[in-house]
Amino acid sequence: MRIYLFPVKLIERLKCTEIKVKPSKMTMMEFFGCTFIAFGPPFGLFVFTIMHDPLRIIVLIASGFFWLLSLLLSSILWFAVVPLREELAFGLVFSVVFQEIFRFFFYKLLRKADEGLQKVNQTEGPELHVAPRDITNKNIMAYVSGFGYGIICGAFSIINVLADMVGPGTIGIHGDSKYFFVATAFLTLCFIFLHIFWGVIFFHALDKKKYYMVALVVATHMLVSCLTLLNQRTVNRPEPLYLASILPAYFVMLAMGVIAFFTAGGSVENIKSAISCCKSSAKYEIE
C-alpha cells in the first residue's frame, strides 16, 4: 500500500478552486433536441389555439395550479407513510388518484363559473374580449384545462432531466442506457397529449353523465403511469424496457385521441372536408 503525502496549503488551494466546464456542442444539441421533442408540438398548439385568448390563458394557468395541488397532496402522503417511501409504485398510484380528483374539482369550478361568465359577457359585451363560443362550447374549456394539466405535468417530468442534459457529460458512460433522455422526452410528449384528450373526455363524460368514460380516463391514466415503472432498473431487470412502455403509451394516446375527437363532435366527414380543403389550397398555391 502506497501513502501519498500532500502539503496542507496545496490541499486547501484545491478545495477552494472551482473547476468550470463549459457545455459541449453535443450536450447542447441533445438538450435542444429533447426539448423540441417534448414541448415543440404543444407549443404550436398553444400559439395557434390559446395564446390569442385571455380567458383561455387564465383557465390554462388555473388548471396547472390544480395539478400542482394534487402533486402537493401526493407528496404529503408519500412523506407521511414512512415504510413505503422507497416503493415508487405507491407514490405513483396515489399521484394518479389525486390528479383525477383535482381534475373533477376543476370541472366543478368551471361549471360554476359558466353562469358568471355568461352574465359578464352580456353586460360588458365586446370590451371584455371573451369569445362567446368559449362559454357555450364546453369542449373548448375542457381542451384548455387538459392542456394546462399536461404542460405542468410535462414540465415537472422533464425539467430536471433537461438540466442534466446540458452537460458537461452525458448519460451512458457508466453503463446506463443511452436512450434515457430521448425516452423521457417522448414519454413527456405522450403525457401532455394524453392529458389534453383525458380532459376533453372527462368533462364530456360528466356533462352527459357517462360515468363509464370517467372510469376509462382513470383506468388508462393508471395504466400508462404504471407502464413507466418498466423504465427503472431492478435486480431481476438490469436494463430498462423503454419500448415496452413507450409503444403501449402511444397506442393508448392514439386511442384516446380518436375518442376525444368524436366526443368533441368530430366525424369522418370533418376529416374528409379538412383533407379536401388542404388539397384545394395546395392546388391554388401551385396555380
Side-chain angles (χ1 to χ4, degrees):
M1 182 178 65
R2 298 180 182 181
I3 301 176
Y4 296 93
L5 300 176
F6 295 95
V8 177
K9 293 183 179 180
L10 179 60
I11 295 175
E12 292 178 354
R13 188 176 299 175
L14 289 173
K15 289 181 179 179
C16 296
T17 303
E18 293 183 359
I19 301 175
K20 296 182 179 180
V21 181
K22 294 183 179 180
S24 64
K25 292 182 179 179
M26 180 188 69
T27 56
M28 292 303 295
M29 290 171 62
E30 191 174 33
F31 168 79
F32 283 110
C34 292
T35 302
F36 292 148
I37 289 173
F39 297 108
F43 179 74
L45 287 177
F46 174 78
V47 170
F48 290 107
T49 62
I50 296 176
M51 187 177 67
H52 64 278
D53 194 314
L55 178 61
R56 297 181 189 182
I57 294 176
I58 293 173
V59 173
L60 177 76
I61 297 173
S63 63
F65 176 72
F66 270 68
W67 187 91
L68 289 175
L69 290 178
S70 69
L71 179 65
L72 175 64
L73 285 185
S74 59
S75 301
I76 292 174
L77 180 63
W78 171 84
F79 185 79
V81 184
V82 179
L84 296 177
R85 283 185 187 176
E86 301 299 326
E87 297 295 332
L88 186 60
F90 169 76
L92 184 146
V93 170
F94 279 95
S95 176
V96 172
V97 172
F98 282 127
Q99 286 180 47
E100 296 304 328
I101 290 175
F102 275 88
R103 196 194 302 273
F104 174 75
F105 289 161
F106 191 68
Y107 162 81
K108 286 293 186 182
L109 178 65
L110 280 183
R111 292 299 175 261
K112 286 185 178 295
D114 282 344
E115 184 178 353
L117 288 173
Q118 290 177 1
K119 291 180 179 179
V120 171
N121 188 50
Q122 291 173 359
T123 55
E124 297 291 338
E127 297 179 358
L128 189 63
H129 302 290
V130 176
R133 63 177 182 175
D134 288 349
I135 302 173
T136 57
N137 190 349
K138 297 180 179 180
N139 292 320
I140 295 178
M141 290 295 104
Y143 159 76
V144 175
S145 64
F147 195 94
Y149 246 64
I151 285 296
I152 197 68
C153 173
F156 268 79
S157 300
I158 202 174
I159 193 69
N160 290 331
V161 179
L162 289 176
D164 293 334
M165 286 183 195
V166 180
T170 186
I171 198 168
I173 299 175
H174 298 290
D176 297 319
S177 176
K178 60 183 179 181
Y179 301 109
F180 171 71
F181 288 152
V182 178
T184 304
F186 276 105
L187 278 175
T188 301
L189 176 64
C190 179
F191 268 97
I192 292 175
F193 278 111
L194 276 172
H195 275 294
I196 294 174
F197 301 148
W198 285 331
V200 174
I201 298 171
F202 192 90
F203 281 34
H204 179 268
L206 291 176
D207 287 334
K208 303 299 182 180
K209 296 183 179 181
K210 297 179 179 179
Y211 299 114
Y212 67 92
M213 297 183 71
V214 176
L216 176 65
V217 170
V218 177
T220 52
H221 192 176
M222 188 70 70
L223 172 63
V224 177
S225 298
C226 290
L227 284 173
T228 59
L229 295 175
L230 298 174
N231 297 336
Q232 62 178 342
R233 296 192 302 178
T234 61
V235 178
N236 299 325
R237 190 178 62 249
E239 291 295 329
L241 303 176
Y242 291 126
L243 285 179
S245 61
I246 292 177
L247 293 180
Y250 271 83
F251 176 78
V252 174
M253 184 195 74
L254 292 175
M256 291 295 104
V258 172
I259 296 174
F261 174 75
F262 288 104
T263 297
S267 62
V268 179
E269 295 179 356
N270 297 139
I271 300 175
K272 292 180 179 179
S273 61
I275 295 174
S276 62
C277 289
C278 291
K279 290 181 178 179
S280 61
S281 62
K283 290 180 180 179
Y284 178 77
E285 290 177 358
I286 292 172
E287 293 175 356

